[in-house]
Amino acid sequence: MAADNSRGAMFRVIVPNQHSRVTNVELFFDLVFVFAVTQVSHTLLHHFTPLGAVHVTVLFLAVWWVWVYTAWVTNWLNPELTPVRVMLFLMMLGGLVLSTTIPTAFEGRGLWFAIAYAAMQIGRTAFWLFATPRHRTAVRHNAIRILTWLSISAVLWIAGGLSEGETRLWLWIAAVTWEYVSPAARFWVPKLGFSSVEAWAVEGGHMAERCALFVIIALGEAVVVNGATFAELEWTADNILAFVSALTGAIAMWWIYFHKGAEAGAERISKSAESGRLARLAYTYLHMPIIAGIILTAVSDELVLKHPTGHSDMRTIVSTIGGPLVFLVGTILFKHAIRGFLQLSHGIGIILLLVLWWFASELSPLWLSVATTAIMIVVAVWESVSLGAEVVEE
C-alpha cells in the first residue's frame, strides 16, 4: 500500500524493491504469544477429549486471529512511531490477560477472555482508523468495514462470556466463524460494499517475515517445554531417546518450513501484483494448520517424555501422528500457494504418516515418536535434495 507522506502520517514509508524489516517492538509484542502458545498446548494436554479438542480449537483460532490481524495493521502502520508503539504495548497487556484465561476460558474466566479478545480486536482496528488521514478514503473504508464486522463478533464473544456450558461454546463458534469468513467475504457492509483486492496490498517481505517468526515462536515453545520436562525426569535410555526424538522432530519441522519455503514465500509475495490476495491465502489462512501442527506435536512430545513405554493410547497416537500430519498438510498447501505446485516429498510424508496410523497402537509412545520423526527427516532430506537438483539444473 502506498505510503502517505503528509505530516503526522503514521503509515510506513514503502520503498520499492526494499524490504521493510520487522522492528524490535514487533518482536517484543510477539513474546506475549510465546505464553499464549504454551497455554494452548498445556490446555489441550490436560483436556485431551473430543469436547476439549473443540474448546482448544476455538481458543487457538482466536489467538491466531488476533495476532495475524495485528501483523496486518503493523504492516501498514510504522511501529517505530510512539503512538503505534503505545498501541502495541496496550495490546500486550490485553494479550497477557487473554493468555492467562485460556486454561479456564470455558469455566470461570470466560468473560475475561471475551473482554480481552474483543478489546484487542476493536481497539487495534479503531486505532488504525484514527491513524488514517481523511483523504485516504479507501483505507478508511477498509478500517470501517473491519471494525463493523469485529463489532458484531464482539457481541457474540461477550454474550458467550456471560453464558455457560454449551451456550458459550456455540456463541463462540459463531463468533470465530463470523470472523474467519469475513476476509473471504471481503468485509462487505451496506453502502460501502466489498473491499477491493488492490486496497489490501502489503509489504510482502515484512508479512512473510512476521509469519515466519510466529513459526519460530511455536517451535521455540515446544523446545523450551521439552527441555523443562526432560530436566525433571530421571535420565534413562528411554527418556534420553524420547528427548532426542522430540528435538530432532522440531529441527525437521524447522528445515521443512525454512529451508526454501519461507524464503520462496517472501520473494513471491514481494514481487506479486496481488500481494493482498496472496497474504490472505498463504499467510492468514494457510499458516494456521502449520502452527496447529507444531502445537499438537508439542503435546505429543510431553506425553512421550513422561510415559515412553507401554502401548500408545489414543491421545498419544492422535498427537504424535496428527501433529506432523497437520503440519505437512499446512506446509504443502502454503508452498502450493506460493510456488504453484505440490511438493512430492510432503505428499509422500503425509501418506507414510497415514500408513503408520494403522500400526500405531502396537508401538510404544517412544517408538511411535521415533517413527514419526524419521518420516519428517525423510521429507526434509528429500526436499533438500530435490531443491538442490533444481538449482543445479538452472
Side-chain angles (χ1 to χ4, degrees), residues 159-160 163-172:
S163 305
E164 295 181 357
E166 288 188 8
T167 303
R168 174 177 296 177
L169 175 60
W170 285 113
L171 284 169
W172 282 3

Side-chain angles (χ1 to χ4, degrees), residues 23-45:
T23 61
N24 290 328
V25 71
E26 290 173 282
L27 294 173
F28 190 36
F29 168 78
D30 287 351
L31 291 178
V32 171
F33 288 86
V34 176
F35 182 38
V37 168
T38 303
Q39 292 286 75
V40 169
S41 63
H42 282 179
T43 302
L44 179 58
L45 180 65

Side-chain angles (χ1 to χ4, degrees), residues 129-373:
L129 176 61
F130 168 78
T132 304
R134 291 192 174 276
H135 68 273
R136 300 191 67 168
T137 306
V139 180
R140 289 183 62 82
H141 284 178
N142 273 343
I144 292 170
R145 290 185 185 96
I146 294 178
L147 191 58
T148 301
W149 279 74
L150 291 179
S151 296
I152 293 172
S153 64
V155 173
L156 295 172
W157 282 109
I158 299 299
L162 292 170
S163 305
E164 295 181 357
E166 288 188 8
T167 303
R168 174 177 296 177
L169 175 60
W170 285 113
L171 284 169
W172 282 3
I173 287 175
V176 164
T177 303
W178 177 266
E179 292 193 21
Y180 272 73
V181 166
S182 58
R186 288 165 49 195
F187 299 100
W188 181 90
V189 295
K191 295 185 179 180
L192 294 181
F194 294 99
S195 173
S196 66
V197 175
E198 292 76 19
W200 286 98
V202 295
E203 201 293 289
H206 176 269
M207 178 62 75
E209 185 178 354
R210 291 289 279 127
C211 290
L213 288 172
F214 202 96
V215 174
I216 289 288
I217 286 174
L219 287 171
E221 184 273 341
V223 171
V224 169
V225 170
N226 291 340
T229 302
F230 182 61
E232 297 175 355
L233 299 174
E234 181 182 354
W235 286 13
T236 65
D238 286 342
N239 290 337
I240 292 172
L241 181 56
F243 178 70
V244 172
S245 176
L247 178 59
T248 306
I251 293 171
M253 284 183 163
W254 181 93
W255 195 278
I256 290 168
Y257 179 85
F258 282 98
H259 180 59
K260 283 294 181 182
E263 180 184 339
E267 183 177 354
R268 167 74 193 283
I269 195 173
S270 296
K271 297 178 179 178
S272 175
E274 295 186 333
S275 59
R277 186 190 300 276
L278 189 58
R280 182 184 66 183
L281 174 62
Y283 292 98
T284 304
Y285 286 119
L286 295 183
H287 266 63
M288 283 186 301
I290 295 174
I291 303 299
I294 296 172
I295 291 175
L296 192 54
T297 301
V299 172
S300 162
D301 292 340
E302 191 160 353
L303 287 172
V304 174
L305 277 168
K306 291 181 176 179
H307 305 286
T309 59
H311 287 291
S312 298
D313 59 14
M314 185 52 64
R315 67 172 184 168
T316 302
I317 294 171
V318 170
S319 59
T320 305
I321 298 179
L325 183 63
V326 173
F327 173 83
L328 284 180
V329 169
T331 307
I332 195 173
L333 293 176
F334 164 64
K335 292 182 180 180
H336 178 266
I338 62 174
R339 304 185 72 191
F341 61 89
L342 296 172
Q343 298 283 143
L344 179 60
S345 58
H346 295 42
I348 296 299
I350 290 170
I351 292 172
L352 290 175
L353 287 169
L354 291 174
V355 171
L356 179 62
W357 204 302
W358 288 99
F359 309 98
S361 61
E362 303 300 322
L363 298 175
S364 68
L366 172 59
W367 289 109
L368 183 60
S369 172
V370 170
T372 56
T373 295

Side-chain angles (χ1 to χ4, degrees), residues 44-77:
L44 179 58
L45 180 65
H46 294 110
H47 299 85
F48 210 108
T49 64
L51 180 59
V54 173
H55 286 176
V56 171
T57 298
V58 171
L59 299 175
F60 164 70
L61 292 175
V63 168
W64 171 254
W65 217 231
V66 75
W67 180 87
V68 82
Y69 266 47
T70 306
W72 276 84
V73 169
T74 54
N75 187 274
W76 293 318
L77 299 182

